[in-house]
Amino acid sequence: MGGTREARELAEIASGERGFDIVSSLAGRVRDPVLPAGAVRLGGFGGADGLRDWLAANGIEVVIDATHPFAGTMSAHAATAAASLGLPLLHVRRPGWSERQGDNWIRVPDLAGAAAAELGERVFLTIGRQGVGAFAALTQPWFLIRSIDPPTGPLPPNHELLLARGPFTAQDEGRLLTRQRIDVLVTKDSGGELTEAKLEAARAVGIPVVMIDRPALPAGAAVVAEVADAWQWLRRQAG
Ligand code: NAP
């Protein structure tokens, strides 16, 4: 189960190996997704029961949840469906970001916590397409909302949309913060290098970051951070 760089890398490795028959699953929401190597299926399964039925019908023997750290529903469904079929399950979860010298982060548990935080006047909102509705009732700040595809649901009244797909350089991010006179950055603790430049830029420009914590993973299954470890785990299942 993919939608991440890690999932694509793992599919690339495994689909080239004899004895491994891989299918990647994507939610199918991004208009122009970067497709992994090998077989791909698109779209939701219809809840944990739908996923269980799909796994059984397709003779799946091992489940790897390499979804985004904020795809908490999918991770939970993977745990339920794999457990009900007695299938081995691995979560691939990249580490979150950590605060460095010069950073001023306000950690909040979720989107509602971010919307309730002291946000300043000009907010750079980089939380992806979903969840912007949590800020819709905020009439005072102006928001620069960046996502790959247009956000879903209600939007705050004062905003500008910036549709763009990373990676971005710290230099470009810094220019954007300055040009738009941003005084706070709101982001999810997604981790990874592809979208880290905005944090570097916020540090350089000296603005605070409201950092939204990840949802907890379901207990019980193995968890790795690195693609190489996921591949080792998968090989062990085959052996
Ligand atoms: P989510 O809230 O955990 O999942 C919502 C529903 O979307 C799931 O119940 C499932 O529908 C469907 N779904 C999610 N991931 C799927 C997958 N890999 N294959 C098939 N169906 C999937 O997930 P989300 O936050 O909407 O994320 C959707 C996808 O985008 C994930 O694959 C994730 O890796 C990727 N992504 C998410 C973020 C983010 O910030 N959330 C960022 C980058 C990429 P059914 O119940 O019908 O099965």
Side-chain angles (χ1 to χ4, degrees), residues 38-88:
V40 178
R41 66 161 299 288
L42 288 177
F45 297 94
D49 290 350
L51 175 59
R52 181 202 57 217
D53 294 348
W54 183 89
L55 295 171
N58 287 275
I60 301 294
E61 293 172 312
V62 173
V63 182
I64 299 185
D65 164 32
T67 56
H68 189 269
F70 280 83
T73 306
M74 196 66 246
S75 295
H77 290 176
T80 306
S84 73
L85 294 171
L87 299 179

Short mmCIF file of all heavy atoms in Angstrom, two decimals, residues 38-88:
data_model
loop_
_atom_site.label_atom_id
_atom_site.label_comp_id
_atom_site.label_asym_id
_atom_site.label_seq_id
_atom_site.Cartn_x
_atom_site.Cartn_y
_atom_site.Cartn_z
N GLY A 38 5.94 -2.14 -11.73
CA GLY A 38 5.15 -3.35 -11.53
C GLY A 38 3.66 -3.08 -11.58
O GLY A 38 3.20 -2.01 -11.99
N ALA A 39 2.89 -4.06 -11.12
CA ALA A 39 1.43 -3.94 -11.17
C ALA A 39 0.94 -2.90 -10.17
O ALA A 39 1.51 -2.75 -9.09
CB ALA A 39 0.80 -5.29 -10.85
N VAL A 40 -0.10 -2.18 -10.59
CA VAL A 40 -0.67 -1.11 -9.74
C VAL A 40 -2.18 -1.24 -9.78
O VAL A 40 -2.75 -1.48 -10.83
CB VAL A 40 -0.28 0.29 -10.28
CG1 VAL A 40 -0.91 1.39 -9.44
CG2 VAL A 40 1.25 0.47 -10.32
N ARG A 41 -2.80 -1.08 -8.62
CA ARG A 41 -4.27 -0.95 -8.59
C ARG A 41 -4.60 0.41 -7.97
O ARG A 41 -3.84 0.91 -7.14
CB ARG A 41 -4.94 -2.09 -7.82
CG ARG A 41 -4.59 -2.08 -6.36
CD ARG A 41 -5.54 -2.86 -5.51
NE ARG A 41 -6.90 -2.39 -5.54
CZ ARG A 41 -7.34 -1.26 -4.97
NH1 ARG A 41 -6.50 -0.48 -4.33
NH2 ARG A 41 -8.61 -0.93 -5.02
N LEU A 42 -5.71 0.98 -8.39
CA LEU A 42 -6.07 2.33 -7.94
C LEU A 42 -7.42 2.34 -7.25
O LEU A 42 -8.33 1.62 -7.67
CB LEU A 42 -6.16 3.29 -9.14
CG LEU A 42 -4.87 3.71 -9.82
CD1 LEU A 42 -5.20 4.60 -11.01
CD2 LEU A 42 -3.94 4.44 -8.87
N GLY A 43 -7.54 3.17 -6.19
CA GLY A 43 -8.85 3.39 -5.56
C GLY A 43 -8.99 2.67 -4.24
O GLY A 43 -8.26 1.71 -3.95
N GLY A 44 -9.94 3.16 -3.44
CA GLY A 44 -10.19 2.55 -2.13
C GLY A 44 -10.74 1.14 -2.26
O GLY A 44 -11.18 0.72 -3.33
N PHE A 45 -10.69 0.41 -1.13
CA PHE A 45 -11.14 -0.98 -1.11
C PHE A 45 -12.56 -1.10 -0.57
O PHE A 45 -13.18 -2.16 -0.63
CB PHE A 45 -10.22 -1.81 -0.22
CG PHE A 45 -8.80 -1.87 -0.71
CD1 PHE A 45 -7.85 -0.97 -0.24
CD2 PHE A 45 -8.42 -2.83 -1.64
CE1 PHE A 45 -6.54 -1.03 -0.69
CE2 PHE A 45 -7.11 -2.88 -2.09
CZ PHE A 45 -6.17 -1.98 -1.61
N GLY A 46 -13.05 -0.01 0.04
CA GLY A 46 -14.35 -0.09 0.72
C GLY A 46 -14.18 -0.54 2.16
O GLY A 46 -14.81 -1.52 2.58
N GLY A 47 -13.29 0.13 2.89
CA GLY A 47 -13.11 -0.16 4.32
C GLY A 47 -12.25 -1.39 4.56
O GLY A 47 -11.77 -2.04 3.63
N ALA A 48 -12.09 -1.71 5.85
CA ALA A 48 -11.22 -2.84 6.24
C ALA A 48 -11.78 -4.16 5.71
O ALA A 48 -11.02 -5.04 5.29
CB ALA A 48 -11.09 -2.88 7.77
N ASP A 49 -13.10 -4.29 5.66
CA ASP A 49 -13.70 -5.53 5.15
C ASP A 49 -13.43 -5.69 3.66
O ASP A 49 -13.13 -6.78 3.18
CB ASP A 49 -15.22 -5.54 5.38
CG ASP A 49 -15.55 -5.69 6.86
OD1 ASP A 49 -14.62 -5.96 7.65
OD2 ASP A 49 -16.73 -5.50 7.21
N GLY A 50 -13.55 -4.56 2.95
CA GLY A 50 -13.28 -4.59 1.51
C GLY A 50 -11.82 -4.94 1.25
O GLY A 50 -11.52 -5.71 0.31
N LEU A 51 -10.94 -4.41 2.06
CA LEU A 51 -9.51 -4.73 1.90
C LEU A 51 -9.28 -6.22 2.18
O LEU A 51 -8.58 -6.90 1.42
CB LEU A 51 -8.67 -3.87 2.86
CG LEU A 51 -7.19 -4.18 2.90
CD1 LEU A 51 -6.53 -4.03 1.51
CD2 LEU A 51 -6.47 -3.27 3.91
N ARG A 52 -9.89 -6.73 3.24
CA ARG A 52 -9.73 -8.15 3.56
C ARG A 52 -10.19 -9.01 2.38
O ARG A 52 -9.51 -9.94 1.97
CB ARG A 52 -10.55 -8.49 4.82
CG ARG A 52 -10.43 -9.94 5.27
CD ARG A 52 -11.60 -10.35 6.12
NE ARG A 52 -12.85 -10.13 5.38
CZ ARG A 52 -13.99 -9.71 5.93
NH1 ARG A 52 -14.05 -9.46 7.21
NH2 ARG A 52 -15.07 -9.54 5.19
N ASP A 53 -11.34 -8.67 1.82
CA ASP A 53 -11.87 -9.46 0.70
C ASP A 53 -10.93 -9.39 -0.51
O ASP A 53 -10.71 -10.38 -1.19
CB ASP A 53 -13.26 -8.95 0.29
CG ASP A 53 -14.28 -9.19 1.40
OD1 ASP A 53 -13.97 -9.94 2.34
OD2 ASP A 53 -15.39 -8.61 1.32
N TRP A 54 -10.41 -8.18 -0.75
CA TRP A 54 -9.51 -8.01 -1.89
C TRP A 54 -8.22 -8.82 -1.68
O TRP A 54 -7.73 -9.48 -2.61
CB TRP A 54 -9.19 -6.52 -2.10
CG TRP A 54 -8.34 -6.29 -3.31
CD1 TRP A 54 -8.77 -6.07 -4.59
CD2 TRP A 54 -6.90 -6.30 -3.37
NE1 TRP A 54 -7.69 -5.94 -5.43
CE2 TRP A 54 -6.53 -6.08 -4.71
CE3 TRP A 54 -5.89 -6.48 -2.42
CZ2 TRP A 54 -5.21 -6.03 -5.13
CZ3 TRP A 54 -4.57 -6.44 -2.83
CH2 TRP A 54 -4.24 -6.20 -4.18
N LEU A 55 -7.69 -8.79 -0.47
CA LEU A 55 -6.46 -9.54 -0.17
C LEU A 55 -6.70 -11.04 -0.39
O LEU A 55 -5.87 -11.73 -1.01
CB LEU A 55 -6.02 -9.31 1.29
CG LEU A 55 -5.58 -7.88 1.66
CD1 LEU A 55 -5.38 -7.75 3.17
CD2 LEU A 55 -4.30 -7.49 0.92
N ALA A 56 -7.84 -11.51 0.09
CA ALA A 56 -8.16 -12.94 -0.04
C ALA A 56 -8.37 -13.30 -1.50
O ALA A 56 -7.83 -14.29 -2.00
CB ALA A 56 -9.40 -13.27 0.79
N ALA A 57 -9.14 -12.47 -2.22
CA ALA A 57 -9.46 -12.79 -3.62
C ALA A 57 -8.22 -12.77 -4.51
O ALA A 57 -8.19 -13.46 -5.53
CB ALA A 57 -10.49 -11.79 -4.14
N ASN A 58 -7.22 -11.99 -4.13
CA ASN A 58 -6.02 -11.87 -4.96
C ASN A 58 -4.86 -12.73 -4.45
O ASN A 58 -3.74 -12.62 -4.95
CB ASN A 58 -5.60 -10.41 -5.08
CG ASN A 58 -6.56 -9.64 -5.98
OD1 ASN A 58 -6.41 -9.65 -7.19
ND2 ASN A 58 -7.60 -9.05 -5.39
N GLY A 59 -5.15 -13.58 -3.49
CA GLY A 59 -4.13 -14.50 -2.99
C GLY A 59 -2.91 -13.80 -2.40
O GLY A 59 -1.79 -14.30 -2.49
N ILE A 60 -3.13 -12.65 -1.79
CA ILE A 60 -2.01 -11.89 -1.21
C ILE A 60 -1.48 -12.63 0.03
O ILE A 60 -2.26 -13.12 0.86
CB ILE A 60 -2.48 -10.46 -0.81
CG1 ILE A 60 -3.02 -9.70 -2.03
CG2 ILE A 60 -1.35 -9.70 -0.12
CD1 ILE A 60 -2.03 -9.37 -3.11
N GLU A 61 -0.16 -12.73 0.13
CA GLU A 61 0.45 -13.48 1.24
C GLU A 61 1.11 -12.59 2.27
O GLU A 61 1.32 -12.99 3.41
CB GLU A 61 1.48 -14.47 0.68
CG GLU A 61 0.82 -15.56 -0.14
CD GLU A 61 1.81 -16.43 -0.87
OE1 GLU A 61 2.72 -15.86 -1.51
OE2 GLU A 61 1.69 -17.66 -0.80
N VAL A 62 1.49 -11.38 1.87
CA VAL A 62 2.20 -10.47 2.77
C VAL A 62 1.69 -9.04 2.49
O VAL A 62 1.53 -8.67 1.34
CB VAL A 62 3.72 -10.51 2.49
CG1 VAL A 62 4.46 -9.45 3.27
CG2 VAL A 62 4.29 -11.89 2.80
N VAL A 63 1.46 -8.28 3.55
CA VAL A 63 0.97 -6.90 3.37
C VAL A 63 2.02 -5.92 3.89
O VAL A 63 2.52 -6.07 5.01
CB VAL A 63 -0.35 -6.68 4.14
CG1 VAL A 63 -0.87 -5.25 3.90
CG2 VAL A 63 -1.40 -7.70 3.74
N ILE A 64 2.34 -4.94 3.05
CA ILE A 64 3.24 -3.88 3.49
C ILE A 64 2.50 -2.55 3.41
O ILE A 64 2.08 -2.14 2.33
CB ILE A 64 4.54 -3.84 2.66
CG1 ILE A 64 5.27 -5.18 2.82
CG2 ILE A 64 5.42 -2.68 3.10
CD1 ILE A 64 6.62 -5.25 2.15
N ASP A 65 2.35 -1.93 4.55
CA ASP A 65 1.72 -0.62 4.62
C ASP A 65 2.83 0.43 4.53
O ASP A 65 3.50 0.73 5.51
CB ASP A 65 0.96 -0.49 5.95
CG ASP A 65 0.61 0.95 6.28
OD1 ASP A 65 0.38 1.74 5.34
OD2 ASP A 65 0.55 1.28 7.49
N ALA A 66 3.03 0.92 3.31
CA ALA A 66 4.04 1.98 3.10
C ALA A 66 3.31 3.26 2.74
O ALA A 66 3.78 4.04 1.92
CB ALA A 66 5.03 1.57 2.02
N THR A 67 2.15 3.47 3.33
CA THR A 67 1.40 4.71 3.08
C THR A 67 2.06 5.86 3.84
O THR A 67 2.94 5.66 4.67
CB THR A 67 -0.07 4.56 3.51
OG1 THR A 67 -0.11 4.17 4.88
CG2 THR A 67 -0.80 3.56 2.66
N HIS A 68 1.57 7.05 3.56
CA HIS A 68 2.09 8.26 4.19
C HIS A 68 1.84 8.22 5.71
O HIS A 68 0.83 7.66 6.15
CB HIS A 68 1.37 9.45 3.56
CG HIS A 68 1.93 10.77 3.93
ND1 HIS A 68 1.47 11.47 5.02
CD2 HIS A 68 2.91 11.50 3.38
CE1 HIS A 68 2.14 12.60 5.09
NE2 HIS A 68 3.02 12.64 4.11
N PRO A 69 2.74 8.80 6.52
CA PRO A 69 2.56 8.77 7.98
C PRO A 69 1.21 9.34 8.44
O PRO A 69 0.76 9.03 9.54
CB PRO A 69 3.70 9.65 8.51
CG PRO A 69 4.72 9.65 7.43
CD PRO A 69 4.02 9.43 6.14
N PHE A 70 0.56 10.17 7.59
CA PHE A 70 -0.73 10.73 7.99
C PHE A 70 -1.92 9.96 7.40
O PHE A 70 -3.06 10.36 7.60
CB PHE A 70 -0.81 12.22 7.64
CG PHE A 70 -0.09 13.06 8.67
CD1 PHE A 70 1.28 13.24 8.62
CD2 PHE A 70 -0.79 13.62 9.73
CE1 PHE A 70 1.95 13.97 9.58
CE2 PHE A 70 -0.14 14.36 10.70
CZ PHE A 70 1.24 14.54 10.63
N ALA A 71 -1.64 8.87 6.71
CA ALA A 71 -2.73 8.03 6.18
C ALA A 71 -3.13 7.03 7.27
O ALA A 71 -3.02 5.80 7.10
CB ALA A 71 -2.31 7.35 4.88
N GLY A 72 -3.62 7.56 8.40
CA GLY A 72 -3.88 6.73 9.58
C GLY A 72 -5.02 5.74 9.38
O GLY A 72 -4.99 4.63 9.92
N THR A 73 -6.01 6.12 8.59
CA THR A 73 -7.14 5.21 8.37
C THR A 73 -6.68 3.97 7.61
O THR A 73 -7.01 2.84 7.95
CB THR A 73 -8.26 5.93 7.58
OG1 THR A 73 -8.57 7.13 8.29
CG2 THR A 73 -9.48 5.08 7.44
N MET A 74 -5.90 4.22 6.56
CA MET A 74 -5.43 3.09 5.74
C MET A 74 -4.54 2.17 6.57
O MET A 74 -4.65 0.94 6.45
CB MET A 74 -4.65 3.64 4.53
CG MET A 74 -4.45 2.63 3.44
SD MET A 74 -6.00 2.14 2.64
CE MET A 74 -6.12 0.44 3.08
N SER A 75 -3.69 2.73 7.41
CA SER A 75 -2.83 1.89 8.25
C SER A 75 -3.67 1.05 9.21
O SER A 75 -3.38 -0.13 9.43
CB SER A 75 -1.85 2.77 9.06
OG SER A 75 -0.97 3.43 8.18
N ALA A 76 -4.71 1.65 9.75
CA ALA A 76 -5.58 0.91 10.68
C ALA A 76 -6.32 -0.21 9.94
O ALA A 76 -6.42 -1.34 10.43
CB ALA A 76 -6.58 1.86 11.33
N HIS A 77 -6.79 0.09 8.72
CA HIS A 77 -7.49 -0.94 7.94
C HIS A 77 -6.54 -2.08 7.59
O HIS A 77 -6.93 -3.24 7.59
CB HIS A 77 -8.07 -0.34 6.65
CG HIS A 77 -9.23 0.58 6.90
ND1 HIS A 77 -9.85 1.28 5.89
CD2 HIS A 77 -9.89 0.91 8.04
CE1 HIS A 77 -10.84 2.00 6.40
NE2 HIS A 77 -10.87 1.80 7.70
N ALA A 78 -5.31 -1.73 7.28
CA ALA A 78 -4.32 -2.76 6.94
C ALA A 78 -4.13 -3.70 8.12
O ALA A 78 -4.08 -4.93 7.96
CB ALA A 78 -2.99 -2.10 6.57
N ALA A 79 -4.05 -3.12 9.32
CA ALA A 79 -3.83 -3.94 10.53
C ALA A 79 -5.03 -4.87 10.75
O ALA A 79 -4.86 -6.07 11.01
CB ALA A 79 -3.62 -3.02 11.73
N THR A 80 -6.23 -4.33 10.62
CA THR A 80 -7.44 -5.13 10.86
C THR A 80 -7.55 -6.26 9.82
O THR A 80 -7.79 -7.41 10.16
CB THR A 80 -8.70 -4.23 10.76
OG1 THR A 80 -8.51 -3.13 11.65
CG2 THR A 80 -9.95 -4.97 11.13
N ALA A 81 -7.37 -5.89 8.55
CA ALA A 81 -7.56 -6.87 7.48
C ALA A 81 -6.48 -7.95 7.52
O ALA A 81 -6.78 -9.14 7.38
CB ALA A 81 -7.54 -6.16 6.12
N ALA A 82 -5.23 -7.54 7.75
CA ALA A 82 -4.15 -8.53 7.79
C ALA A 82 -4.35 -9.48 8.98
O ALA A 82 -4.19 -10.69 8.85
CB ALA A 82 -2.78 -7.83 7.88
N ALA A 83 -4.74 -8.91 10.13
CA ALA A 83 -4.95 -9.76 11.31
C ALA A 83 -6.09 -10.74 11.06
O ALA A 83 -5.99 -11.92 11.44
CB ALA A 83 -5.26 -8.88 12.53
N SER A 84 -7.15 -10.30 10.40
CA SER A 84 -8.30 -11.20 10.22
C SER A 84 -7.96 -12.36 9.27
O SER A 84 -8.58 -13.40 9.33
CB SER A 84 -9.52 -10.43 9.75
OG SER A 84 -9.36 -10.07 8.40
N LEU A 85 -6.95 -12.17 8.41
CA LEU A 85 -6.55 -13.25 7.50
C LEU A 85 -5.28 -13.96 7.99
O LEU A 85 -4.78 -14.89 7.34
CB LEU A 85 -6.30 -12.70 6.09
CG LEU A 85 -7.52 -12.13 5.35
CD1 LEU A 85 -7.10 -11.42 4.07
CD2 LEU A 85 -8.52 -13.24 5.02
N GLY A 86 -4.72 -13.48 9.10
CA GLY A 86 -3.48 -14.07 9.62
C GLY A 86 -2.28 -13.81 8.73
O GLY A 86 -1.34 -14.60 8.66
N LEU A 87 -2.29 -12.67 8.01
CA LEU A 87 -1.17 -12.35 7.10
C LEU A 87 -0.11 -11.53 7.82
O LEU A 87 -0.45 -10.66 8.64
CB LEU A 87 -1.67 -11.54 5.90
CG LEU A 87 -2.70 -12.21 5.00
CD1 LEU A 87 -3.10 -11.26 3.86
CD2 LEU A 87 -2.14 -13.51 4.43
N PRO A 88 1.17 -11.75 7.50
CA PRO A 88 2.22 -10.89 8.06
C PRO A 88 2.05 -9.46 7.56
O PRO A 88 1.72 -9.25 6.39
CB PRO A 88 3.53 -11.48 7.52
CG PRO A 88 3.18 -12.69 6.75
CD PRO A 88 1.69 -12.77 6.59
#
